[in-house]
Amino acid sequence: MIIDCHGHYTTAPAALQKFRDAQIAGLKEHTDVPFDAQTPISDDQIRDSLEGAQLKLQRARGTDLTIFSPRASAMAHHIGNEITSRRWTAACNDLIYRVCELYPENFVGVCQLPQSPGVAPLNSAAELERCVTELGFIGCNLNPDPSGGHWNAPPLTDRYWYPFYEKMVELDVPAMVHVSSSCNPNFHATGAHYINADTTAFMQFLTSDLFTDFPTLRFIIPHGGGAVPYHWGRYRGLAQDMKKPLLKDYLLKNVFFDTCVYHLPGIELLLKVIPADNIIFGSEMVGAVRGIDPETGQHFDDTKRYIDALDLSDSVRYQIFEGNARKVFPRLDQRLKW
Amino acid sequence: MIIDCHGHYTTAPAALQKFRDAQIAGLKEHTDVPFDAQTPISDDQIRDSLEGAQLKLQRARGTDLTIFSPRASAMAHHIGNEITSRRWTAACNDLIYRVCELYPENFVGVCQLPQSPGVAPLNSAAELERCVTELGFIGCNLNPDPSGGHWNAPPLTDRYWYPFYEKMVELDVPAMVHVSSSCNPNFHATGAHYINADTTAFMQFLTSDLFTDFPTLRFIIPHGGGAVPYHWGRYRGLAQDMKKPLLKDYLLKNVFFDTCVYHLPGIELLLKVIPADNIIFGSEMVGAVRGIDPETGQHFDDTKRYIDALDLSDSVRYQIFEGNARKVFPRLDQRLKW
């Protein structure tokens, strides 16, 4: 089977955004807008939002199961306060749960976290636990910069984050390192902030002993690992100058890259420099780039085509499309064995 | 000839750092430490600092001329105030001038700018003019984030920067977009901040009309363009979604990438996706990564080897090693015709 580890619910029914808009408006007026007060989203609305988009593309591209989470750019942890984030997060996660209940063959959930600038990461543990133990989710998206482009939280390797990691380890779920929209005019969200965060997180891991402290903690760095595979020589060299072990021994038991790289030469490079054990198929569909590449006549984000075009052994292909996802998301593996 | 467009004086005599340390100490004590008050650096000290390092490596690697600027990580525009930056910058640039006078065949100068957080970019124009017209420099390093990792200046495409660009255009010199050290613990300087800045600048250019306003303005994005070539499909796709022209028509008359990518697969990718007109040989030597790659037995930053290993036509090889540098730095071209 072919598992896409990186899909967001970018096509959610308009009522979700309507709630968010009301919530944001309420911040100014100091009113409180519970999600339940909105017109409910019907199952048919959910079906409609997916049938012509993610489900259609799954069928067209020949992928089976998408690891599905709320829209990343809409997490916007920097808006409002912890309660704002908590309510918005619960609404988004509950909707993902409904998607996964309606289409259990097609989607499995990964949760947004109720992060908020200056709020202890431990405060996100309860929502993670709820999503995993009650809603059947298999992982989370962790935002290394809840400020939305001001980067004023401690690095991911700081003990500040450790209480949350303890919960991840306890539940045996990985996190995708994923920022949200940027309120810093320097950073375009999908063109700079996302990619920068990926690169930044990897370098934080490289300069730390995080995985000595948490040997089973696992992170997926999306968007093909940001700039990291392209600069793999730089990272190998920096690690060596710092007297660190080889990156493959030092970080690659815990750090994985998806394949959200939107052209064949990029995917070729990724497969050339990063061990196949560490690459998990992902497309970010329907996501950052929605058009058709005039050079190929195919969607930029149809990343399966790039992998299909490479001369890979069956075992490597299995790892990328299925095996690594089962390994990194053990709760997915358990579910698929049902 | 082989021109290396990216070298910093990372091996400057210790007296330079001694001045800087005194200057920084003086900030706390509100004392003023002019560079002239320090023990002068002798010509022999300069020779010694280069003979066993950059000059030795030029000879060993078979490169001819390095476009040479002050140590990027030491620019640290975030330290002190505008006067601090101005004095430090002048000291660093004057030393580069002495290097270029001592070794006119081996080095040509590019200047640091006296940027400072919150200070108008126009205030850097006089130092640029001094360096170009009096010291014979051919370009500058422009820091898009003088705050050192807090990213609180306007984007490079904001009109805030325009008065400085007018001076660049008037003098017909390009800028390398180059941040300095990071005082934000999230960002390792050479492993994250540098690469992020490269990616960020490109995306700023992509979302702007800067080159409509300044058709002859030219930027080099170092470190192989950050994450950009690896994600070239993403950038082509984002531009298309924004209804922009093709990137090659839209940005590549004004934006160039160096070859500071420290492994063969990265350089292969760069040459595959970026037109040869836009690639300028660079090594960043002696710089971010100083070790020997155990996989090749050669220095990571011996980027000439990677290009030599590729099957390129003579004309493409000429463009990358010489022709593009002459085109992007017209004052270099004039000088080489002497």
Side-chain angles (χ1 to χ4, degrees):
Chain A
M1 76 184 300
I2 294 182
I3 301 166
D4 182 340
C5 79
H6 191 173
H8 301 295
Y9 197 7
T10 50
T11 59
L16 185 70
Q17 189 58 46
K18 205 174 152 194
F19 160 60
R20 180 61 161 172
D21 293 344
Q23 190 193 35
I24 293 169
L27 282 172
K28 287 180 195 151
E29 296 151 19
H30 300 286
T31 57
D32 198 3
V33 186
F35 184 49
D36 298 346
Q38 303 294 305
T39 316
I41 294 172
S42 69
D43 284 355
D44 276 348
Q45 284 176 316
I46 294 176
R47 289 190 192 98
D48 285 349
S49 73
L50 295 162
E51 284 291 349
Q54 288 85 353
L55 288 168
K56 181 178 135 191
L57 291 170
Q58 278 186 355
R59 286 188 291 265
R61 298 179 184 183
T63 65
D64 300 298
L65 178 71
T66 299
I67 297 176
F68 207 52
S69 59
R71 186 177 187 174
S73 64
M75 298 189 298
H77 295 113
H78 57 277
I79 294 178
N81 53 36
E82 187 179 3
I83 294 170
T84 320
S85 181
R86 190 169 295 285
R87 288 196 173 154
W88 172 235
T89 297
C92 290
N93 288 336
D94 288 348
L95 202 59
I96 294 293
Y97 171 69
R98 291 180 60 195
V99 167
C100 298
E101 289 290 293
L102 285 170
Y103 298 98
E105 305 285 318
N106 300 91
F107 297 104
V108 61
V110 149
C111 67
Q112 174 175 331
L113 296 169
Q115 296 177 253
S116 190
V119 172
L122 180 61
N123 292 19
S124 288
E127 177 66 2
L128 177 65
E129 186 150 30
R130 179 183 83 93
C131 289
V132 171
T133 62
E134 297 176 26
L135 308 187
F137 286 20
I138 61 170
C140 60
N141 291 333
L142 182 66
N143 185 346
D145 173 29
S147 78
H150 295 292
W151 288 96
N152 47 24
L156 286 178
T157 49
D158 192 281
R159 286 177 176 274
Y160 175 77
W161 299 89
Y162 277 26
F164 182 75
Y165 297 155
E166 283 165 15
K167 182 57 72 178
M168 283 173 59
V169 167
E170 178 196 319
L171 295 168
D172 202 12
V173 295
M176 180 174 277
V177 177
H178 208 309
V179 288
S180 184
S181 57
S182 158
C183 58
N184 184 328
N186 280 285
F187 303 129
H188 183 276
T190 53
H193 192 41
Y194 283 22
I195 307 293
N196 291 350
D198 304 335
T199 309
T200 298
F202 185 83
M203 195 61 202
Q204 291 177 358
F205 297 148
L206 195 156
T207 48
S208 80
D209 294 314
L210 179 61
F211 302 118
T212 305
D213 291 343
F214 292 99
T216 64
L217 191 65
R218 298 178 302 282
F219 291 104
I220 297 156
I221 303 189
H223 321 108
V228 171
Y230 177 49
H231 286 288
W232 196 237
R234 172 176 282 254
Y235 292 101
R236 289 194 294 108
L238 286 168
Q240 181 173 293
D241 286 356
M242 292 175 199
K243 316 288 184 208
K244 301 280 188 185
L246 292 178
L247 290 182
K248 70 180 172 58
D249 301 323
Y250 181 55
L251 293 181
L252 295 190
K253 291 183 195 79
N254 305 85
V255 177
F256 303 83
F257 302 105
D258 77 11
T259 64
C260 295
V261 179
Y262 294 158
H263 61 156
L264 180 59
I267 293 286
E268 274 177 344
L269 173 93
L270 175 66
L271 271 284
K272 204 177 281 179
V273 302
I274 303 298
D277 281 341
N278 295 80
I279 301 171
I280 306 179
F281 173 65
S283 74
E284 212 183 345
M285 166 274 284
V286 178
V289 176
R290 305 196 177 190
I292 287 174
D293 186 347
E295 295 184 8
T296 65
Q298 305 295 340
H299 282 96
F300 281 104
D301 68 359
D302 187 356
T303 55
K304 180 168 170 291
R305 282 182 184 274
Y306 309 132
I307 299 166
D308 287 344
L310 299 180
D311 183 26
L312 302 175
S313 69
D314 286 349
S315 68
V316 163
R317 200 170 292 275
Y318 169 78
Q319 281 176 286
I320 293 171
F321 281 131
E322 179 177 345
N324 293 336
R326 284 178 178 258
K327 186 180 65 179
V328 173
F329 294 91
R331 285 176 179 266
L332 171 63
D333 188 54
Q334 287 157 26
R335 168 167 326 188
L336 292 173
K337 284 178 184 156
W338 286 353
Chain B
M1 75 185 301
I2 294 181
I3 300 166
D4 182 341
C5 78
H6 190 174
H8 302 295
Y9 197 6
T10 50
T11 59
L16 185 69
Q17 189 57 46
K18 207 174 150 194
F19 160 60
R20 180 62 161 171
D21 293 343
Q23 189 192 36
I24 292 169
L27 282 172
K28 287 182 195 150
E29 296 152 18
H30 301 284
T31 58
D32 198 3
V33 186
F35 185 50
D36 298 347
Q38 302 295 303
T39 316
I41 293 171
S42 70
D43 285 354
D44 276 347
Q45 285 177 316
I46 294 176
R47 288 190 192 98
D48 286 349
S49 73
L50 295 162
E51 284 290 350
Q54 288 84 354
L55 288 167
K56 182 177 133 191
L57 291 170
Q58 279 186 355
R59 286 188 292 265
R61 299 179 184 184
T63 65
D64 299 299
L65 177 71
T66 300
I67 297 177
F68 208 52
S69 58
R71 185 177 188 173
S73 64
M75 298 189 300
H77 295 113
H78 57 278
I79 294 178
N81 53 36
E82 187 179 4
I83 295 169
T84 320
S85 181
R86 190 169 297 284
R87 289 196 173 154
W88 171 236
T89 297
C92 290
N93 288 336
D94 288 348
L95 203 59
I96 293 292
Y97 172 70
R98 291 180 62 194
V99 166
C100 299
E101 289 290 293
L102 285 170
Y103 297 98
E105 305 286 318
N106 300 92
F107 298 104
V108 60
V110 150
C111 67
Q112 175 175 330
L113 296 170
Q115 296 177 254
S116 191
V119 172
L122 180 61
N123 292 20
S124 288
E127 178 66 4
L128 176 66
E129 185 149 32
R130 179 182 82 93
C131 290
V132 172
T133 62
E134 296 176 27
L135 308 186
F137 287 21
I138 61 170
C140 59
N141 291 333
L142 182 66
N143 185 347
D145 173 30
S147 77
H150 295 291
W151 289 97
N152 47 24
L156 286 177
T157 48
D158 192 282
R159 287 179 175 274
Y160 175 78
W161 299 89
Y162 276 25
F164 182 75
Y165 296 155
E166 283 165 14
K167 182 56 72 178
M168 283 174 58
V169 167
E170 177 196 320
L171 296 167
D172 202 13
V173 295
M176 180 173 278
V177 177
H178 208 308
V179 288
S180 184
S181 57
S182 158
C183 59
N184 183 330
N186 279 286
F187 304 128
H188 183 276
T190 53
H193 192 41
Y194 283 20
I195 307 293
N196 292 350
D198 304 335
T199 309
T200 298
F202 185 82
M203 195 63 202
Q204 291 176 359
F205 298 147
L206 194 157
T207 48
S208 80
D209 293 315
L210 179 62
F211 302 118
T212 306
D213 292 342
F214 292 98
T216 64
L217 191 64
R218 298 177 303 283
F219 291 104
I220 297 156
I221 302 189
H223 321 107
V228 171
Y230 176 49
H231 286 287
W232 196 237
R234 172 176 282 255
Y235 292 101
R236 288 195 293 108
L238 285 169
Q240 180 173 293
D241 286 355
M242 293 174 199
K243 317 287 182 208
K244 302 279 187 185
L246 291 177
L247 290 182
K248 70 179 173 56
D249 301 322
Y250 181 55
L251 294 181
L252 295 189
K253 292 183 194 79
N254 306 84
V255 177
F256 303 84
F257 302 106
D258 78 11
T259 65
C260 295
V261 179
Y262 294 158
H263 61 155
L264 179 58
I267 293 286
E268 275 177 342
L269 173 94
L270 175 67
L271 271 284
K272 205 176 283 180
V273 302
I274 304 298
D277 281 342
N278 293 81
I279 300 172
I280 307 179
F281 173 67
S283 74
E284 211 185 343
M285 166 273 285
V286 180
V289 176
R290 305 197 178 190
I292 288 175
D293 186 345
E295 294 183 8
T296 65
Q298 306 294 341
H299 282 95
F300 281 104
D301 68 0
D302 186 356
T303 55
K304 180 168 170 292
R305 281 181 184 274
Y306 309 133
I307 299 166
D308 287 344
L310 299 180
D311 182 26
L312 303 174
S313 69
D314 286 350
S315 69
V316 164
R317 202 170 291 276
Y318 169 79
Q319 280 176 286
I320 293 171
F321 281 131
E322 179 177 345
N324 293 336
R326 283 178 178 259
K327 185 180 64 179
V328 173
F329 294 92
R331 285 176 179 267
L332 171 64
D333 187 55
Q334 287 156 27
R335 168 165 329 184
L336 291 172
K337 284 178 184 156
W338 283 354

